[in-house]
């Protein structure tokens, strides 16, 4: 019999599976497994500017064969999800529908999950970030190291972010930053003490990317194509770990399976699935189950399996705001062509008297997401917009700001039984209270003021709506014994014998830092605990 | 359905779409579209914009095609309205199609300017943009069927 079934091949699933397979256990991964079969092979391995003037078929992957890269109407979530990345959320509207007037959820049924297109920002949690969890940063430390080695992390180990991100022995040299970010860092260096005293700390973003050859990947070639292709697999995707797992004895990927529920009996766990292509219903048995279907996917499976339809559970997602900024330090300067497209810089703002709470911002330069998308947002005619934005592009940056999120009675999701033959529907109600909204407003203004000292002037503040950070968590959180729909320290769902969680569902609090590196480290911890138990 | 909306006939007249491609390319980059670009614009229209449109939206479009000099003004004034606009959508689709061709793509790439030249050009372009909006406001009042 299979030892462990792992549901999901995303950031959580692959790192939970790894230690189990390493210990010689038989692991089967169940995943819906959508892939890109259309565009990856069309994108040349060339720098952005070069292919724009030479590749006759660029419109196919830049706009998509069904023009899915042109979005009309209001501001959309996940601008980085370009046509070659649209396999990531494919089929979710149909198979995992969400009803909400206040929250827009982006889920994935893809091989590698959402991290097949993530921004690769790596931000270990400290003890304050793990508030409400029965684990500490020390518990996660060896797992952060193991995961960092597996995925490849590049960053500065002794910059001003280190007090917030800790040290990482496995770290490669940081990615080179682009000309715009260099100007910001030069101004930061000149005023560092004053800015630090005001609560602002800036450094190069720690990225899950290879700056040297590592596990057959990289080094990154600075083609500015990271939103479109996976050149040399330099930027980490869970798919790379999945490929490594697939080459190991004891691991089996059972893809094209939509998992609906689990139940336990004397021999272990039984998981029911529907085959994506044949519609056939199947049962899979194992001694234990690890759910890593994403915080929303996992809560669906748990609520359905425990027949808790109609019961509200919490939901968290970092409130997100972004702002186009003019980086005046770039005025009249030539921007280097070589660059990566991911977050160049990370700024941590620690408001006064905030008990260690932080606001985190990422600085990006805008180029490879195409000009017409900016022209659309300009409140002037397209001709003048094109002329102005071409001139401004070298000085244009984007500041993406994340705030912490805490559970409240106004942030809940409920699973409703679907109509006969149709999928169950997750209803999400997510609202900030006035104090939270006011605090975000105040702290964003303060952050913009500090960025003005770095030569960056915000042009407009854009709030793309709740859910837009795509950092979902807290749906089956760590909780005390006896409290239903929570999990214990080992991430075991309370009331089950061997059903464990390995995604964002377990975190009862979200700091402003992206959570995915911690999902991976915790998944590695869960896999290790389970391996000790079963081996 | 929006006020006064009508469904655009499914097989939207190919010739009209090609005429739009010509008018919008001239407007955006003062050039002529290649047949391939026109065909791609028409295909994108059929995929993305085959739905409904209001009498006002159709009137705006017809005005721009009949009197191309009105296009910069009407596009600008539509940009100020925070409402769905078929004209804006079509010009955006044309921009996307042009930007992703080897022939015209360079006209959407960043331009390098020295600080003073940049500031001067931005001032001129800003003035033109405001002038277009003002002119557009007048046009919507005087030309038939264009009032919101
Ligand atoms: C554009 C973008 C940028 C981002 N940038 C960052 C960043 O820089 N830093 C950061 O920390 N985070 C970032 N994130 C968030 C990050 O991607 C997610 O937190 C992370 O990928 C979640 O991983 P997961 O394994 O928990 O779930 P998911 O990625 O959602 O994976 C779920 C897996 O489960 C499978 N699955 C789900 N339901 C079922 C089912 N019923 N049956 C079978 N299989 C199922 C799916 O196929 C998938 O493989 C970003 C996300 C996006 C979209």
């Amino acid at each position: 019999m299979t030892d462990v079934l792992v549901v999901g091949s995303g950031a959580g699933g692959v790192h939970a599976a790894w230690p189990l397979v390493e210990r010689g256990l038989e692991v089967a991964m169940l995943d819906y497994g959508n892939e890109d079969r259309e565009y990856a092979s069309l994108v040349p391995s060339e720098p952005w500017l070069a292919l724009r003037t030479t590749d006759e078929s660029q419109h196919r992957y830049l706009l998509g064969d069904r023009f899915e890269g042109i979005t009309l109407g209001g501001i959309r979530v996940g601008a980085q999800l370009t046509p070659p990345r649209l396999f990531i959320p494919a089929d979710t509207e149909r198979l995992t529908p969400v009803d909400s007037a206040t929250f827009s959820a982006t889920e994935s049924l893809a091989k590698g999950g959402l991290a097949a297109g993530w921004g690769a920002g790596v931000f270990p949690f400290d003890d304050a970030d793990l508030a409400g969890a029965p684990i500490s940063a020390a518990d996660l430390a060896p797992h952060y190291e193991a995961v960092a080695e597996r995925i490849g992390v590049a960053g500065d180990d002794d910059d001003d972010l280190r007090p917030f991100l800790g040290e990482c022995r496995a770290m490669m040299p940081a990615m080179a930053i682009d000309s715009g970010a260099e100007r910001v860092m030069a101004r930061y260096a000149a005023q560092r003490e004053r800015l630090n005293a005001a609560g602002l700390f800036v450094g190069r973003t720690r990225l899950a990317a290879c700056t040297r050859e590592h596990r057959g990947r990289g080094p990154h070639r600075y083609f500015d194509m990271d939103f479109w292709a996976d050149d040399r697999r330099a930027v980490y995707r869970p798919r790379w770990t999945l490929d490594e797992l697939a080459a190991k004895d004891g691991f089996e990927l059972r893809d094209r399976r939509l998992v609906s529920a689990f139940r336990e009996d004397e021999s272990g766990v039984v998981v029911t699935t529907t085959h994506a292509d044949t519609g056939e219903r199947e049962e899979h048995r194992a001694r234990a189950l690890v759910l890593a279907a994403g915080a929303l996917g996992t809560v669906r499976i748990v609520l359905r399996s425990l027949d808790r339809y109609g019961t509200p559970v919490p939901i968290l997602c970092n409130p997100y705001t972004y702002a186009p900024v003019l980086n005046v330090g770039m005025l009249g300067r030539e921007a280097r062509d070589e660059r990566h497209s991911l977050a160049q810089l990370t700024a941590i703002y620690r408001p006064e008297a905030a008990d260690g709470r932080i606001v985190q911002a990422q600085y990006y330069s805008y180029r490879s997401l195409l000009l017409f998308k900016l022209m659309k947002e300009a409140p002037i005619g397209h001709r003048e917009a094109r002329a102005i934005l071409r001139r401004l592009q070298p000085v244009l940056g984007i500041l993406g700001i994340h705030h912490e999120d805490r559970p409240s009675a106004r942030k809940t999701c409920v699973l409703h039984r679907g109509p006969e033959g149709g999928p169950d529907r997750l209803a999400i109600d997510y609202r900030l209270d006035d104090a939270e909204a006011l605090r975000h407003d105040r702290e964003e203004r303060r952050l913009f003021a500090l960025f003005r000292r770095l030569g960056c002037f915000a042009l407009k503040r854009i709030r793309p709506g709740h859910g837009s950070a795509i950092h979902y968590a807290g749906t089956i959180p760590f909780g005390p014994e006896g409290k239903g729909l929570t999990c214990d320290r080992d991430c075991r769902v309370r009331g089950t014998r061997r059903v464990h969680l390995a995604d964002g569902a377990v975190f009862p609090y979200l700091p402003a830092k992206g959570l995915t590196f911690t999902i991976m480290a915790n998944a590695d911890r869960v896999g290790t605990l389970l391996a000790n138990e079963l081996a | 359905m929006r006020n006064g909306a009508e469904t655009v006939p499914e097989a939207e007249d190919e010739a009209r779409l090609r005429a739009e491609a010509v008018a919008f390319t001239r407007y955006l980059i003062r050039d002529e579209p290649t047949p391939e670009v026109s065909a791609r614009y028409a295909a994108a229209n059929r995929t993305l914009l085959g739905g409904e449109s209001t009498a006002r939206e159709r009137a705006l479009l017809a005005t721009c095609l009949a009197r191309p000099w009105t296009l910069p003004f009407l596009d600008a004034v539509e940009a100020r309205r925070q409402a769905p606009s078929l004209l804006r959508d079509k010009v955006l689709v044309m921009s996307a199609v042009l930007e992703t061709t080897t022939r015209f793509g360079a006209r959407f790439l960043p331009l390098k300017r020295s600080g003073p030249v940049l500031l001067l050009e931005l001032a001129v372009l800003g003035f033109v943009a405001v002038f277009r909006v003002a002119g557009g406001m007048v046009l919507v009042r005087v030309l038939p069927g264009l009032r919101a």
Side-chain angles (χ1 to χ4, degrees):
Chain A
M1 178 157 87
T2 306
D3 291 308
V4 184
L5 288 167
V6 176
V7 176
S9 66
V14 296
H15 294 286
W18 188 275
L20 293 163
V21 174
E22 287 283 281
R23 287 288 288 274
L25 293 164
E26 297 279 326
V27 175
M29 182 172 279
L30 299 167
D31 188 43
Y32 195 74
N34 280 335
E35 289 176 86
D36 168 37
R37 295 175 200 276
E38 256 178 313
Y39 299 121
S41 60
L42 296 176
V43 188
S45 278
E46 274 180 51
W48 172 251
L49 280 188
L51 69 85
R52 297 297 312 288
T53 46
T54 55
D55 184 15
E56 294 292 344
S57 61
Q58 59 183 277
H59 61 93
R60 292 199 53 200
Y61 50 87
L62 297 182
L63 300 184
D65 285 344
R66 290 167 301 286
F67 302 101
E68 60 271 31
I70 306 177
T71 46
L72 304 171
I75 290 163
R76 208 183 51 127
V77 167
Q80 294 115 305
L81 298 179
T82 57
R85 305 282 189 219
L86 281 178
F87 71 98
I88 297 170
D91 294 325
T92 52
E93 264 179 44
R94 182 169 59 88
L95 296 172
T96 58
V98 170
D99 297 321
S100 182
T102 54
F103 190 92
S104 97
T106 304
E107 290 182 79
S108 177
L109 288 170
K111 254 185 207 160
L114 292 167
W118 74 321
V122 161
F123 314 103
F125 285 9
D126 57 24
D127 283 334
D129 299 328
L130 289 165
I135 51 172
S136 64
D139 294 322
L140 285 180
H143 305 287
Y144 278 132
E145 281 298 337
V147 168
E149 198 287 324
R150 211 174 290 148
I151 71 176
V153 173
D156 273 333
D157 216 355
D158 62 349
D159 63 3
D160 285 354
L161 300 182
R162 172 147 172 198
F164 302 93
L165 303 181
E167 73 170 45
C168 174
R169 282 194 302 279
M171 199 136 72
M172 295 181 228
M175 298 277 285
I177 51 176
D178 68 11
S179 314
E182 273 171 5
R183 301 312 308 156
V184 176
M185 281 311 281
R187 288 183 185 229
Y188 175 73
Q191 312 168 65
R192 186 165 162 250
E193 274 175 27
R194 272 200 305 147
L195 288 168
N196 289 173
L200 188 74
F201 303 84
V202 186
R204 290 198 247 186
T205 303
R206 277 193 196 179
L207 291 167
C210 301
T211 48
R212 56 171 180 249
E213 208 179 319
H214 180 71
R215 298 179 91 109
R217 298 168 35 213
H220 196 283
R221 289 197 284 187
Y222 300 97
F223 284 172
D224 197 9
M225 288 296 292
D226 301 304
F227 297 136
W228 306 92
D230 293 314
D231 180 58
R232 289 186 171 178
R233 311 203 304 174
V235 175
Y236 179 72
R237 312 284 172 211
R239 183 71 193 260
W240 315 152
T241 305
L242 186 61
D243 289 348
E244 285 191 60
L245 282 167
K248 290 181 187 289
D249 288 340
F251 180 83
E252 181 195 354
L253 176 67
R254 298 181 194 161
D255 66 350
R256 309 302 293 149
R257 264 66 170 211
L258 185 71
V259 172
S260 47
F262 63 81
R263 65 174 193 278
E264 288 185 291
D265 59 22
E266 342 41 78
S267 63
V269 190
V270 183
V271 173
T272 51
T273 62
T274 308
H275 198 285
D277 304 320
T278 62
E280 200 180 321
R281 283 182 71 78
E282 297 166 328
E283 291 200 336
H284 308 257
R285 286 183 169 274
R287 293 163 67 198
L289 170 65
V290 176
L291 291 173
L296 302 182
T298 286
V299 77
R300 272 194 190 86
I301 295 170
V302 172
L303 293 175
R304 191 181 297 126
S305 306
L306 303 182
D307 197 14
R308 298 294 296 270
Y309 287 98
T311 308
V313 293
I315 179 166
L316 299 174
C317 181
N318 296 117
Y320 182 63
T321 299
Y322 71 92
V325 294
L326 283 187
N327 177 358
V328 296
M330 281 301 290
L331 276 175
R333 285 178 196 267
E334 183 134 28
R336 259 195 325 279
D337 184 29
E338 299 80 43
R339 63 181 77 176
H340 68 79
S341 330
L342 307 170
Q344 302 286 332
L345 303 175
T346 292
I348 289 184
Y349 170 49
R350 192 172 50 194
E352 246 176 272
D355 306 332
R357 183 174 50 77
I358 59 158
V359 178
Q360 184 174 287
Q362 255 92 46
Y363 176 87
Y364 298 82
S365 298
Y366 190 100
R367 190 178 68 165
S368 65
L369 284 175
L370 296 164
L371 199 71
F372 79 87
K373 294 180 192 174
L374 286 181
M375 289 163 61
K376 175 177 166 230
E377 307 301 333
I380 54 175
H382 284 91
R383 180 152 80 194
E384 282 72 40
R386 180 184 68 89
I388 290 174
L389 289 167
R390 282 183 79 190
R391 286 163 176 80
L392 284 184
Q393 215 180 44
V395 294
L396 203 61
I398 302 283
L399 205 56
I401 305 169
H402 289 106
H403 299 274
E404 65 158 24
D405 200 18
R406 292 174 188 275
S408 89
R410 299 159 69 109
K411 302 171 186 169
T412 57
C413 54
V414 180
L415 189 68
H416 294 296
R417 219 179 278 277
E420 193 56 40
D424 294 338
R425 306 187 72 88
L426 197 64
I428 300 183
D429 186 26
Y430 183 103
R431 279 165 294 153
L432 298 176
D433 63 36
D434 293 346
E436 282 175 305
L438 277 173
R439 199 180 62 231
H440 297 167
D441 186 59
R442 191 175 59 239
E443 291 175 355
E444 284 166 12
R445 284 173 196 280
R446 185 75 192 119
L447 193 63
F448 290 146
L450 292 168
F451 261 81
R452 282 198 288 276
R453 295 202 212 162
L454 298 176
C456 294
F457 292 79
L459 297 175
K460 188 177 174 185
R461 186 158 44 161
I462 299 166
R463 296 214 168 97
H466 302 315
S468 55
I470 323 187
H471 294 167
Y472 308 128
T475 47
I476 308 284
F478 289 117
E481 210 177 329
K483 185 163 184 224
L485 299 177
T486 61
C487 64
D488 67 14
R489 191 178 184 280
D490 295 352
C491 297
R492 188 190 332 254
V493 178
R494 292 206 184 275
T496 69
R497 281 195 301 276
R498 281 217 179 118
V499 178
H500 294 258
L501 307 182
D503 54 28
V506 303
F507 299 107
Y509 162 72
L510 268 185
K513 299 169 176 175
L515 79 164
T516 309
F517 190 46
T518 304
I519 290 180
M520 297 184 206
N522 188 53
D524 188 76
R525 185 183 72 93
V526 170
T528 307
L529 289 170
L530 203 50
N532 292 341
E533 202 178 306
L534 298 177
Chain B
M1 212 185 226
R2 284 182 255 147
N3 265 354
E6 259 180 34
T7 303
V8 174
E10 201 154 296
E12 199 174 359
D13 181 14
E14 189 76 19
R16 212 182 76 217
L17 287 173
R18 283 178 194 266
E20 285 176 13
V22 171
F24 296 156
T25 306
R26 285 181 184 158
Y27 161 53
L28 285 165
I29 56 170
R30 299 175 206 272
D31 209 330
E32 300 297 317
T34 59
E36 189 202 352
V37 160
S38 295
R40 198 170 304 140
Y41 169 77
N45 258 266
R46 280 191 290 267
T47 308
L48 301 171
L49 296 166
E52 60 193 44
S53 64
T54 63
R56 180 176 177 275
E57 286 176 324
R58 288 193 299 280
L60 268 171
L61 207 54
T63 306
C64 292
L65 292 182
R67 304 184 187 92
W69 61 268
T70 60
L71 181 48
F73 297 99
L74 296 177
D75 180 33
V77 79
E78 283 290 278
R80 302 295 303 174
R81 293 176 68 235
Q82 305 244 303
S85 165
L86 182 64
L87 174 65
R88 293 276 301 168
D89 285 350
K90 281 182 176 262
V91 179
L92 185 79
V93 166
M94 190 74 241
S95 308
V97 168
L98 291 168
E99 185 174 3
T100 52
T101 59
T102 47
R103 177 158 179 168
F104 302 116
R107 313 226 196 145
F108 292 79
L109 291 175
L111 276 180
K112 198 196 147 226
R113 291 286 190 265
S114 70
V117 173
L118 177 68
L119 293 177
L120 190 70
E121 287 184 343
L122 288 180
V124 172
L125 286 164
F127 175 78
V128 173
V130 173
F131 169 70
R132 299 277 193 224
V133 174
M137 285 163 84
V138 175
L139 286 181
V140 250
R141 278 171 190 279
V142 299
L143 293 175
L146 303 188
R147 282 188 193 226

